[in-house]
PDB file of all heavy atoms in Angstrom:
ATOM      1  N   ARG A 389     175.630 122.457 105.017  1.00  0.00           N
ATOM      2  CA  ARG A 389     175.907 123.620 105.781  1.00  0.00           C
ATOM      3  C   ARG A 389     175.145 123.586 107.118  1.00  0.00           C
ATOM      4  O   ARG A 389     175.683 123.932 108.156  1.00  0.00           O
ATOM      5  CB  ARG A 389     175.549 124.888 105.010  1.00  0.00           C
ATOM      6  CG  ARG A 389     176.081 126.163 105.607  1.00  0.00           C
ATOM      7  CD  ARG A 389     176.180 127.266 104.569  1.00  0.00           C
ATOM      8  NE  ARG A 389     174.878 127.537 103.997  1.00  0.00           N
ATOM      9  CZ  ARG A 389     174.011 128.426 104.541  1.00  0.00           C
ATOM     10  NH1 ARG A 389     174.310 129.047 105.656  1.00  0.00           N
ATOM     11  NH2 ARG A 389     172.858 128.635 103.972  1.00  0.00           N
ATOM     12  N   LEU A 390     173.876 123.208 107.064  1.00  0.00           N
ATOM     13  CA  LEU A 390     173.104 123.158 108.306  1.00  0.00           C
ATOM     14  C   LEU A 390     173.627 122.051 109.224  1.00  0.00           C
ATOM     15  O   LEU A 390     173.579 122.193 110.434  1.00  0.00           O
ATOM     16  CB  LEU A 390     171.625 122.921 108.004  1.00  0.00           C
ATOM     17  CG  LEU A 390     170.952 124.110 107.297  1.00  0.00           C
ATOM     18  CD1 LEU A 390     169.502 123.767 106.999  1.00  0.00           C
ATOM     19  CD2 LEU A 390     171.030 125.341 108.138  1.00  0.00           C
ATOM     20  N   GLN A 391     174.139 120.958 108.628  1.00  0.00           N
ATOM     21  CA  GLN A 391     174.782 119.908 109.465  1.00  0.00           C
ATOM     22  C   GLN A 391     175.983 120.492 110.203  1.00  0.00           C
ATOM     23  O   GLN A 391     176.226 120.268 111.330  1.00  0.00           O
ATOM     24  CB  GLN A 391     175.222 118.731 108.580  1.00  0.00           C
ATOM     25  CG  GLN A 391     174.155 117.719 108.322  1.00  0.00           C
ATOM     26  CD  GLN A 391     174.671 116.437 107.726  1.00  0.00           C
ATOM     27  OE1 GLN A 391     175.663 116.532 106.948  1.00  0.00           O
ATOM     28  NE2 GLN A 391     174.086 115.323 108.006  1.00  0.00           N
ATOM     29  N   MET A 392     176.796 121.285 109.428  1.00  0.00           N
ATOM     30  CA  MET A 392     177.992 121.867 110.037  1.00  0.00           C
ATOM     31  C   MET A 392     177.578 122.848 111.156  1.00  0.00           C
ATOM     32  O   MET A 392     178.231 122.949 112.185  1.00  0.00           O
ATOM     33  CB  MET A 392     178.794 122.600 108.986  1.00  0.00           C
ATOM     34  CG  MET A 392     179.398 121.598 107.896  1.00  0.00           C
ATOM     35  SD  MET A 392     180.127 122.480 106.517  1.00  0.00           S
ATOM     36  CE  MET A 392     181.431 123.337 107.333  1.00  0.00           C
ATOM     37  N   ILE A 393     176.461 123.575 110.915  1.00  0.00           N
ATOM     38  CA  ILE A 393     176.014 124.515 111.938  1.00  0.00           C
ATOM     39  C   ILE A 393     175.682 123.812 113.236  1.00  0.00           C
ATOM     40  O   ILE A 393     176.013 124.215 114.321  1.00  0.00           O
ATOM     41  CB  ILE A 393     174.841 125.306 111.428  1.00  0.00           C
ATOM     42  CG1 ILE A 393     175.223 126.189 110.283  1.00  0.00           C
ATOM     43  CG2 ILE A 393     174.193 126.153 112.560  1.00  0.00           C
ATOM     44  CD1 ILE A 393     174.029 126.797 109.553  1.00  0.00           C
ATOM     45  N   SER A 394     175.020 122.641 113.095  1.00  0.00           N
ATOM     46  CA  SER A 394     174.585 121.903 114.278  1.00  0.00           C
ATOM     47  C   SER A 394     175.721 121.368 115.078  1.00  0.00           C
ATOM     48  O   SER A 394     175.578 120.981 116.236  1.00  0.00           O
ATOM     49  CB  SER A 394     173.654 120.747 113.838  1.00  0.00           C
ATOM     50  OG  SER A 394     174.446 119.766 113.161  1.00  0.00           O
ATOM     51  N   ARG A 395     176.971 121.336 114.507  1.00  0.00           N
ATOM     52  CA  ARG A 395     178.108 120.763 115.218  1.00  0.00           C
ATOM     53  C   ARG A 395     178.812 121.790 116.102  1.00  0.00           C
ATOM     54  O   ARG A 395     179.771 121.425 116.801  1.00  0.00           O
ATOM     55  CB  ARG A 395     179.063 120.144 114.221  1.00  0.00           C
ATOM     56  CG  ARG A 395     178.568 118.921 113.524  1.00  0.00           C
ATOM     57  CD  ARG A 395     179.658 118.180 112.807  1.00  0.00           C
ATOM     58  NE  ARG A 395     180.255 118.988 111.754  1.00  0.00           N
ATOM     59  CZ  ARG A 395     179.831 118.938 110.511  1.00  0.00           C
ATOM     60  NH1 ARG A 395     178.824 118.175 110.198  1.00  0.00           N
ATOM     61  NH2 ARG A 395     180.440 119.667 109.576  1.00  0.00           N
ATOM     62  N   GLY A 396     178.330 123.041 116.038  1.00  0.00           N
ATOM     63  CA  GLY A 396     178.950 124.007 116.966  1.00  0.00           C
ATOM     64  C   GLY A 396     179.707 125.084 116.175  1.00  0.00           C
ATOM     65  O   GLY A 396     179.878 125.058 114.975  1.00  0.00           O
ATOM     66  N   PRO A 397     180.175 126.095 116.909  1.00  0.00           N
ATOM     67  CA  PRO A 397     180.825 127.261 116.272  1.00  0.00           C
ATOM     68  C   PRO A 397     182.242 126.961 115.789  1.00  0.00           C
ATOM     69  O   PRO A 397     182.980 126.123 116.368  1.00  0.00           O
ATOM     70  CB  PRO A 397     180.823 128.272 117.425  1.00  0.00           C
ATOM     71  CG  PRO A 397     180.901 127.452 118.615  1.00  0.00           C
ATOM     72  CD  PRO A 397     180.105 126.211 118.370  1.00  0.00           C
ATOM     73  N   VAL A 398     182.627 127.627 114.703  1.00  0.00           N
ATOM     74  CA  VAL A 398     184.010 127.589 114.233  1.00  0.00           C
ATOM     75  C   VAL A 398     184.478 129.055 114.080  1.00  0.00           C
ATOM     76  O   VAL A 398     183.858 129.818 113.383  1.00  0.00           O
ATOM     77  CB  VAL A 398     184.101 126.868 112.850  1.00  0.00           C
ATOM     78  CG1 VAL A 398     185.505 126.892 112.323  1.00  0.00           C
ATOM     79  CG2 VAL A 398     183.594 125.455 112.978  1.00  0.00           C
ATOM     80  N   LEU A 399     185.559 129.392 114.732  1.00  0.00           N
ATOM     81  CA  LEU A 399     185.995 130.744 114.734  1.00  0.00           C
ATOM     82  C   LEU A 399     186.892 131.020 113.538  1.00  0.00           C
ATOM     83  O   LEU A 399     187.590 130.159 113.043  1.00  0.00           O
ATOM     84  CB  LEU A 399     186.814 131.027 116.022  1.00  0.00           C
ATOM     85  CG  LEU A 399     186.002 130.753 117.338  1.00  0.00           C
ATOM     86  CD1 LEU A 399     186.948 131.015 118.524  1.00  0.00           C
ATOM     87  CD2 LEU A 399     184.782 131.587 117.376  1.00  0.00           C
ATOM     88  N   PRO A 400     186.886 132.271 113.059  1.00  0.00           N
ATOM     89  CA  PRO A 400     187.706 132.639 111.884  1.00  0.00           C
ATOM     90  C   PRO A 400     189.172 132.762 112.218  1.00  0.00           C
ATOM     91  O   PRO A 400     189.556 132.920 113.376  1.00  0.00           O
ATOM     92  CB  PRO A 400     187.104 133.985 111.454  1.00  0.00           C
ATOM     93  CG  PRO A 400     186.501 134.530 112.662  1.00  0.00           C
ATOM     94  CD  PRO A 400     186.001 133.371 113.497  1.00  0.00           C
ATOM     95  N   ILE A 401     190.021 132.679 111.197  1.00  0.00           N
ATOM     96  CA  ILE A 401     191.482 132.848 111.437  1.00  0.00           C
ATOM     97  C   ILE A 401     191.789 134.293 111.765  1.00  0.00           C
ATOM     98  O   ILE A 401     191.037 135.199 111.506  1.00  0.00           O
ATOM     99  CB  ILE A 401     192.271 132.413 110.209  1.00  0.00           C
ATOM    100  CG1 ILE A 401     191.873 133.285 108.973  1.00  0.00           C
ATOM    101  CG2 ILE A 401     192.082 130.985 109.879  1.00  0.00           C
ATOM    102  CD1 ILE A 401     192.660 132.973 107.751  1.00  0.00           C
ATOM    103  N   LYS A 402     192.921 134.437 112.391  1.00  0.00           N
ATOM    104  CA  LYS A 402     193.251 135.792 112.960  1.00  0.00           C
ATOM    105  C   LYS A 402     193.556 136.801 111.860  1.00  0.00           C
ATOM    106  O   LYS A 402     192.939 137.831 111.752  1.00  0.00           O
ATOM    107  CB  LYS A 402     194.413 135.676 113.896  1.00  0.00           C
ATOM    108  CG  LYS A 402     194.862 137.034 114.473  1.00  0.00           C
ATOM    109  CD  LYS A 402     196.085 136.847 115.338  1.00  0.00           C
ATOM    110  CE  LYS A 402     196.560 138.262 115.793  1.00  0.00           C
ATOM    111  NZ  LYS A 402     197.803 138.148 116.580  1.00  0.00           N
ATOM    112  N   ASN A 403     194.574 136.493 111.053  1.00  0.00           N
ATOM    113  CA  ASN A 403     195.086 137.494 110.111  1.00  0.00           C
ATOM    114  C   ASN A 403     194.297 137.440 108.860  1.00  0.00           C
ATOM    115  O   ASN A 403     194.487 136.590 107.967  1.00  0.00           O
ATOM    116  CB  ASN A 403     196.551 137.233 109.851  1.00  0.00           C
ATOM    117  CG  ASN A 403     197.384 137.373 111.109  1.00  0.00           C
ATOM    118  OD1 ASN A 403     197.149 138.260 111.890  1.00  0.00           O
ATOM    119  ND2 ASN A 403     198.348 136.466 111.301  1.00  0.00           N
ATOM    120  N   THR A 404     193.348 138.385 108.708  1.00  0.00           N
ATOM    121  CA  THR A 404     192.481 138.407 107.516  1.00  0.00           C
ATOM    122  C   THR A 404     193.299 138.927 106.325  1.00  0.00           C
ATOM    123  O   THR A 404     193.956 139.942 106.378  1.00  0.00           O
ATOM    124  CB  THR A 404     191.328 139.392 107.742  1.00  0.00           C
ATOM    125  OG1 THR A 404     190.648 138.931 108.925  1.00  0.00           O
ATOM    126  CG2 THR A 404     190.391 139.390 106.589  1.00  0.00           C
ATOM    127  N   GLN A 405     193.228 138.172 105.234  1.00  0.00           N
ATOM    128  CA  GLN A 405     193.901 138.628 104.000  1.00  0.00           C
ATOM    129  C   GLN A 405     193.283 137.918 102.829  1.00  0.00           C
ATOM    130  O   GLN A 405     192.699 136.864 102.956  1.00  0.00           O
ATOM    131  CB  GLN A 405     195.389 138.274 104.077  1.00  0.00           C
ATOM    132  CG  GLN A 405     195.668 136.767 104.358  1.00  0.00           C
ATOM    133  CD  GLN A 405     197.128 136.520 104.501  1.00  0.00           C
ATOM    134  OE1 GLN A 405     197.937 137.009 103.718  1.00  0.00           O
ATOM    135  NE2 GLN A 405     197.505 135.705 105.498  1.00  0.00           N
ATOM    136  N   ASP A 406     193.383 138.554 101.662  1.00  0.00           N
ATOM    137  CA  ASP A 406     192.844 137.960 100.443  1.00  0.00           C
ATOM    138  C   ASP A 406     193.741 136.790 100.058  1.00  0.00           C
ATOM    139  O   ASP A 406     194.946 136.889 100.001  1.00  0.00           O
ATOM    140  CB  ASP A 406     192.812 138.980  99.324  1.00  0.00           C
ATOM    141  CG  ASP A 406     191.804 140.101  99.566  1.00  0.00           C
ATOM    142  OD1 ASP A 406     190.856 139.788 100.335  1.00  0.00           O
ATOM    143  OD2 ASP A 406     191.943 141.181  99.016  1.00  0.00           O
ATOM    144  N   VAL A 407     193.129 135.678  99.753  1.00  0.00           N
ATOM    145  CA  VAL A 407     193.899 134.460  99.435  1.00  0.00           C
ATOM    146  C   VAL A 407     193.500 134.020  98.013  1.00  0.00           C
ATOM    147  O   VAL A 407     192.299 133.910  97.657  1.00  0.00           O
ATOM    148  CB  VAL A 407     193.528 133.330 100.422  1.00  0.00           C
ATOM    149  CG1 VAL A 407     194.349 132.071 100.070  1.00  0.00           C
ATOM    150  CG2 VAL A 407     193.838 133.795 101.825  1.00  0.00           C
TER     151      VAL A 407
END
Side-chain angles (χ1 to χ4, degrees):
R389 191 159 61 85
L390 292 178
Q391 273 190 330
M392 295 169 64
I393 293 169
S394 70
R395 291 194 297 269
V398 179
L399 303 178
I401 61 176
K402 176 185 178 183
N403 298 320
T404 303
Q405 54 184 316
D406 292 336
V407 182

